[in-house]
Amino acid sequence: MKFRPLHDRVVVRRLESDEKTKGGIIIPDTAKEKPQEGVVEAVGPGGRDEAGKLIPIDIKKGDTVLFGKWSGTEVKIDGKDLLIMKESDIMGVVTK
């Protein structure tokens, strides 16, 4: 299935968090915090201003982004757990 978000929405796949601490202690799934970093899977065309002019999104597919702890709506598409969020929920793009 192909999924294309509308307007200024972005589809993000969370990056997996570490299962061990730096000291080697294994963290059980119930104690793990959800990661706030993910990879952009799909991007909408952008929002519109009051005059109806399209404002393109600055983020592109493949970008690694940081977002708020409670940002987005969790969905499952083709067996993948994904988040759909507005571009404004994304705090920044990680460059390596």
Side-chain angles (χ1 to χ4, degrees):
M1 168 190 346
K2 286 194 170 203
F3 182 81
R4 182 179 57 91
L6 299 176
H7 308 294
D8 62 342
R9 297 223 171 16
V10 178
V11 177
V12 176
R13 176 181 41 86
R14 282 188 201 265
L15 293 178
E16 295 298 319
S17 60
D18 293 335
E19 295 185 11
K20 288 185 182 180
T21 64
K22 290 181 183 179
I25 299 172
I26 297 174
I27 303 169
D29 287 339
T30 56
K32 283 185 200 174
E33 283 196 31
K34 291 186 177 181
Q36 294 172 279
E37 187 174 358
V39 176
V40 175
E41 294 285 321
V43 180
R48 300 215 177 253
D49 63 9
E50 286 128 20
K53 183 181 173 199
L54 184 67
I55 302 169
I57 293 182
D58 291 333
I59 298 165
K60 62 185 180 304
K61 183 177 178 178
D63 282 348
T64 301
V65 295
L66 294 176
F67 49 87
K69 193 173 203 171
W70 307 109
S71 297
T73 302
E74 294 181 357
V75 295
K76 188 170 254 191
I77 299 173
D78 287 339
K80 295 180 189 175
D81 290 323
L82 302 170
L83 288 167
I84 299 175
M85 64 182 72
K86 287 186 158 251
E87 180 187 24
S88 58
D89 290 341
I90 295 174
M91 294 185 269
V93 178
V94 178
T95 56
K96 296 178 183 185

